[in-house]
Amino acid sequence: MGSGESPTLKTQDAHPSILVIGKWIRHFEQWIHEQPKEQLYTAIAVVVATFLIVVIYRILNRSRCNTVVLSGLSGGGKTILFYQLRDGTPHQGTVTSMEPNIGSFVLHSELEKKGKIKPIHLVDVPGHSRLRPMLDDFLPKAAGIIFVVDALDFLPNCRAAAEYLYDILTKSSVVRKKVPVLILCNKTDKVTAHSKEFIRKQLEKEIDKLRTSRTAVSSADVTNEYTLGVPSEVFTFSQCHNKVVVAESSGLTGEVSQVEQFIREHVKP
């Protein structure tokens, strides 16, 4: 290096992209100095407001994704399951709810775990036919749906359960978001309870009949927003747009491990 040369990088030796970026920065600085202060303050306010809206939207979305909805016919044991998941006890035993049970809590089985655990937002929707429309208030926010079936008294209620399940599986809020559904066969601690495989097959048969009869109804009937299954094929839950699985539980004895597994699969701790 000669005695008169500078040790720093010469401008003409810089990378072309660096020169371009520097040029844009200078233009931007010049543009800022040329703008009226009021206009700059307005632009900054718009940027800040937009940022806050995006942050709030993401926070709300995160809060929604921990909602799990308990649904099913009356008498299936939804409320007892709600208490078991929250407190680890069945409380009063058989309970018929006329209003939703709603709570945000860490699963009882996870209370002793170390570290931060994300609570779930559990909604137990009454199964009475007159109260089912309130289900529509919660489905758009659901990360998962647990459809409770009485495995002990299943056959007399099979048709009604299939109709209710059909309505849920054809809701636009469920299909579009591909909300996972757990068909939970409850009261399996009883000797005379039906197996989950038997219940699954019977529900599939009933839904297959329903989709045939409802497809034949006039197009003026808009009760169901989507159709189920593949045309000309026997219906199975594997054909649904969203994931549908079947599991067993016993609310009275506290055997709810498969329920908790489903919840934590879709509401990460």
Side-chain angles (χ1 to χ4, degrees):
M1 181 181 294
S3 58
E5 292 187 53
S6 171
T8 58
L9 182 66
K10 295 181 180 179
T11 303
Q12 59 266 31
D13 295 331
H15 194 280
S17 61
I18 296 177
L19 295 176
V20 171
I21 293 172
K23 181 180 177 181
W24 277 106
I25 290 175
R26 288 193 294 274
H27 280 309
F28 182 69
E29 289 175 343
Q30 182 180 353
W31 178 83
I32 289 216
H33 288 304
E34 293 173 355
Q35 302 306 310
K37 288 185 177 180
E38 295 79 9
Q39 186 172 334
L40 283 176
Y41 293 152
T42 301
I44 292 171
V46 169
V47 171
V48 171
T50 303
F51 174 78
L52 289 175
I53 290 171
V54 171
V55 170
I56 292 171
Y57 176 78
R58 289 183 176 178
I59 290 173
L60 289 175
N61 269 354
R62 280 200 295 268
S63 66
R64 288 175 186 167
C65 70
N66 71 339
T67 298
V68 177
V69 177
L70 279 170
S71 61
L73 302 179
S74 295
K78 298 186 301 298
T79 303
I80 292 175
L81 286 167
F82 178 93
Y83 289 134
Q84 282 286 9
L85 293 169
R86 190 187 71 177
D87 306 327
T89 65
H91 278 237
Q92 301 172 353
T94 302
V95 179
T96 299
S97 300
M98 297 305 290
E99 293 182 0
N101 290 303
I102 302 174
S104 294
F105 50 84
V106 173
L107 293 173
H108 182 264
S109 63
E110 298 177 337
L111 291 177
E112 302 300 323
K113 289 186 177 181
K114 296 181 179 179
K116 189 175 181 180
I117 300 175
K118 186 175 183 177
I120 67 166
H121 185 66
L122 191 61
V123 180
D124 163 27
V125 180
H128 193 282
S129 57
R130 293 182 182 178
L131 303 175
R132 288 179 203 167
M134 67 176 64
L135 186 68
D136 294 333
D137 296 334
F138 304 105
L139 289 182
K141 304 174 184 178
I145 301 168
I146 300 173
F147 187 82
V148 182
V149 176
D150 187 339
L152 188 63
D153 199 23
F154 171 68
L155 284 177
N157 299 299
C158 179
R159 178 75 177 186
E163 288 177 344
Y164 192 5
L165 183 58
Y166 183 98
D167 290 339
I168 291 174
L169 293 175
T170 51
K171 293 284 187 184
S172 62
S173 55
V174 175
V175 177
R176 289 177 183 174
K177 291 177 60 181
K178 295 185 177 181
V179 182
V181 175
L182 172 66
I183 300 173
L184 186 66
C185 307
N186 194 31
K187 306 182 184 179
T188 53
D189 57 299
K190 305 297 183 182
V191 178
T192 54
H194 294 285
S195 69
K196 67 177 184 180
E197 282 305 311
F198 176 82
I199 291 174
R200 178 185 63 79
K201 290 177 182 178
Q202 292 302 314
L203 287 174
E204 287 176 338
K205 287 180 181 179
E206 287 298 328
I207 289 177
D208 193 46
K209 296 175 186 176
L210 279 169
R211 67 176 187 145
T212 302
S213 60
R214 295 196 182 188
T215 302
V217 175
S218 167
S219 58
D221 181 10
V222 293
T223 302
N224 302 109
E225 300 163 46
Y226 284 84
T227 56
L228 287 179
V230 178
S232 72
E233 290 187 16
V234 176
F235 174 77
T236 63
F237 288 119
S238 61
Q239 297 169 353
C240 292
H241 298 280
N242 48 326
K243 184 179 180 181
V244 180
V245 294
V246 185
E248 298 176 333
S249 72
S250 172
L252 282 176
T253 64
E255 179 44 61
V256 293
S257 59
Q258 293 182 45
V259 188
E260 294 173 330
Q261 182 180 346
F262 173 82
I263 290 174
R264 278 310 177 202
E265 183 180 345
H266 302 290
V267 180
K268 302 300 181 184

